[in-house]
Amino acid sequence: MSSGTKQRDTLLAAAAGGAAVAGSYLVTGWAPSFVVRPVDQAIVNLTPGPIVTLAIETLGDAGHLIHIGMAFAVVVGLFGAVAFAGLRLAARTDRRAVGVATAGVGSWLLAAGLTGISTQALGAALPGAAVVGIGWLRSPTGRPPAGDASSPDAGDSVSGTDSADAAGLTAGVDAVRRRTLAVVAGALGFVAATVVGRRALATDDDPLADAPRSEGAAARLQELDDAALSVESADLHDLVSPIGAFYNVDIAEFDPAVTASEWSLTFTGETGTDRTVTFDELTDRPVEHRAITLRCVGEDLNGRKLDNAVWTGTPIRPLLESVDPQGDCDCAMLRGEDGYYVQFPVDVLAEGFLAWGMNGKELPSGHGHPVRVLIPGHWGETNVKWLSEIELLRVEDDGYWEERGWEGTGEVKTVAKLWDEGVTDLGDGRIELAGHAYAGTRGIERVEVSTDGGDSWTDATLSEPLPDVDVWRQWRHVFDPDGEHEAVVRAVDGEGTRQTRAPSDSSPSGATGWVRRTVG
């Protein structure tokens, strides 16, 4: 095979690989049955812990783009390799049908093997086969296709009647190039149209249904609304984070697709009896509506992965007691449908909450639909989404992030936030500083504000305390600036312990320090 033919087939194969992935996306959307998902999950699971930590610390949320980009590249390459084999077989047999069949069947087998779903695999198989069928050119003269090494180039010396053949072959080379570029452009157009069209059809913004037995959620939401401070900033939300603005962190890019009718929670391990609870059984249990705040262990000191919602669900303690934990069973491993797992003490788990509603609506997919666990006062990563199993253990074991060098199963650290939208010029010469403070189940006693870099301190105004044990508070302070000021904020928890001054990175157990910014 000449270098020209190899380059042409490689280009067509890459276009076929991209079209195959786009075809799968067109059929499945951003769902677990999308062909990229299993490869992305494998990359996430196989990436060494130090690399994961480095990506989080240096790239933050953008770190997800690395593994999803790698997954796309791998999958496009796999389907491209199948298409390349189809092009080569078509050339050897001089039959287009052989190439199309090879690319189509091979792509279907690959997609079905990756996802385990045979019908939706056709979404990847048909576009890839179409690119091969349109892009491959049969040689009508029995010679190798124009552009091969055995065909004279336009610059070769020819004589007599060969000059006409040379001119014809040169024109043929140009025609093949135009045909190839047209097919590649068509494949790229299909990819673009698929992305735009699929997004236009997306229903992510559709209103969520009311959570089962959520009558009390409205009352709790009103209670939090009444307790909120009046601040001038229109962009700083109050004591309840809107569902669409609530931060979201997962180990992979694809949420498990679990319906309420399919969901169940199984208790295993050191129990007197194993037990499986269905969604209907869970929602028939006593219902509570708790305001619970979550904070991510991997966020920067003044990062934005801190939010609060009113969650609808039921306490986990009665369910734990119903399976009769045995002997010195001191810890439990919680597992989710996404492959995530975390371990903590049984007595801590007993204070937890199984939630199926959020702010009066059903739990969104991205937050663990249909059921997640919420553990008071602990880092957000301990609150397993898409919860499917609780295994009671006699011996402690590392969870997902512990295996990767983090210590995020501990209690959250005290913090007061001052985001950009918390700094407001009141128009009368004064500046308003406002934000949120959180200390887990210890609660917030006060927030101290300095406008001179920490030389002097003033207590900020706080929102009214709430009866919930694991919820943030708002704070507000107004001052008259005389030029630029270094504003510093720090919180004091309910045990009288002040927020740690010394700064530290988020790894391995959460960022520390006082929040500082220049205002005025």
Side-chain angles (χ1 to χ4, degrees):
M1 178 171 53
S2 73
S3 60
T5 301
K6 183 177 181 179
Q7 291 173 0
R8 183 175 64 250
D9 286 355
T10 300
L11 187 59
L12 288 171
V21 173
S24 175
Y25 177 65
L26 180 63
V27 171
T28 67
W30 201 260
S33 51
F34 181 34
V35 291
V36 175
R37 187 260 182 185
V39 176
D40 178 65
Q41 188 71 57
I43 291 173
V44 168
N45 292 339
L46 295 174
T47 301
I51 295 179
V52 174
T53 297
L54 178 64
I56 292 173
E57 292 180 343
T58 58
L59 300 175
D61 290 342
H64 273 296
L65 298 177
I66 295 178
H67 67 74
I68 192 65
M70 291 174 60
F72 268 95
V74 169
V75 177
V76 169
L78 290 173
F79 282 101
V82 173
F84 188 86
L87 289 165
R88 287 294 83 219
L89 284 174
R92 289 188 179 184
T93 61
D94 200 29
R95 291 188 177 183
R96 188 191 309 271
V98 173
V100 172
T102 301
V105 174
S107 295
W108 178 80
L109 290 172
L110 175 58
L114 287 172
T115 64
I117 303 174
S118 58
T119 53
Q120 291 184 335
L122 291 172
L126 295 178
V131 171
V132 170
I134 298 171
W136 180 77
L137 292 175
R138 176 184 287 114
S139 172
T141 63
R143 303 181 187 181
D148 279 0
S150 57
S151 300
D153 293 331
D156 287 346
S157 61
V158 294
S159 61
T161 58
D162 288 341
S163 60
D165 289 342
L169 289 172
T170 299
V173 170
D174 292 338
V176 168
R177 288 171 178 167
R178 288 194 298 269
R179 176 72 168 271
T180 301
L181 292 176
V183 172
V184 171
L188 291 176
F190 173 72
V191 171
T194 296
V195 173
V196 173
R198 187 72 200 193
R199 287 184 176 179
L201 295 173
T203 58
D204 292 344
D205 294 332
D206 287 350
L208 294 168
D210 290 342
R213 298 175 62 184
S214 64
E215 299 88 352
R220 289 306 326 274
L221 288 166
Q222 184 61 53
E223 182 182 351
L224 268 68
D225 187 56
D226 294 340
L229 289 177
S230 176
V231 298
E232 291 299 318
S233 173
D235 297 323
L236 184 69
H237 57 73
D238 50 29
L239 290 174
V240 177
S241 303
I243 291 178
F246 203 107
Y247 87 88
N248 198 359
V249 175
D250 299 309
I251 60 173
E253 290 293 323
F254 300 89
D255 298 337
V258 184
T259 66
S261 60
E262 296 170 335
W263 179 87
S264 64
L265 171 63
T266 302
F267 290 83
T268 62
E270 302 297 328
T271 65
T273 176
D274 289 350
R275 181 177 182 182
T276 297
V277 181
T278 67
F279 186 78
D280 287 342
E281 290 173 338
L282 187 72
T283 55
D284 279 342
R285 301 184 67 82
V287 176
E288 296 181 11
H289 308 281
R290 297 185 183 181
I292 298 175
T293 301
L294 297 181
R295 184 187 177 200
C296 179
V297 67
E299 73 156 359
D300 295 334
L301 175 63
N302 199 34
R304 295 175 177 271
K305 293 184 176 67
L306 173 69
D307 282 297
N308 183 66
V310 171
W311 308 85
T312 297
T314 192
I316 198 171
R317 182 185 294 276
L319 284 171
L320 273 176
E321 292 174 346
S322 73
V323 300
D324 187 22
Q326 298 296 292
D328 56 353
C329 172
D330 295 327
C331 53
M333 184 71 76
L334 278 63
R335 295 184 176 89
E337 290 287 347
D338 61 340
Y340 183 68
Y341 49 95
V342 66
Q343 174 264 317
F344 31 162
V346 170
D347 59 345
V348 174
L349 176 62
E351 301 300 323
F353 192 64
L354 295 176
W356 60 76
M358 183 179 184
N359 289 348
K361 301 295 182 181
E362 67 180 12
L363 197 63
S365 174
H367 290 283
H369 178 80
V371 178
R372 71 175 300 169
V373 69
L374 296 166
I375 306 298
H378 285 66
W379 293 105
E381 62 98 359
T382 64
N383 299 271
V384 177
K385 303 177 185 179
W386 312 286
L387 183 67
S388 60
E389 181 186 1
I390 297 178
E391 181 185 11
L392 301 182
L393 305 171
R394 294 182 186 273
V395 180
E396 290 186 9
D397 197 3
D398 287 338
Y400 181 92
W401 285 113
E402 284 75 22
E403 290 178 348
R404 288 157 177 80
W406 291 75
E407 300 172 1
T409 53
E411 294 187 356
V412 295
K413 294 179 177 176
T414 302
V415 68
K417 301 281 190 176
L418 179 55
W419 297 322
D420 291 343
E421 61 269 31
V423 181
T424 306
D425 186 340
L426 298 180
D428 58 3
R430 298 180 303 158
I431 289 179
E432 177 190 73
L433 305 177
H436 300 80
Y438 177 56
T441 55
R442 301 182 301 277
I444 293 293
E445 178 181 305
R446 66 180 185 274
V447 171
E448 300 170 335
V449 181
S450 172
T451 56
D452 54 14
D455 291 338
S456 61
W457 297 88
T458 302
D459 285 354
T461 302
L462 289 180
S463 60
E464 292 298 317
L466 294 164
D468 306 275
V469 298
D470 183 24
V471 65
W472 64 8
R473 296 177 75 176
Q474 283 180 289
W475 64 268
R476 178 178 184 266
H477 176 70
V478 176
F479 75 104
D480 293 303
D482 53 357
E484 287 192 343
H485 290 253
E486 184 184 13
V488 188
V489 294
R490 64 190 186 188
V492 179
D493 69 24
E495 298 175 353
T497 303
R498 182 172 287 117
Q499 179 177 337
T500 303
R501 177 176 184 173
S504 73
D505 294 331
S506 58
S507 175
S509 57
T512 62
W514 294 349
V515 172
R516 300 173 179 268
R517 66 180 306 130
T518 300
V519 300

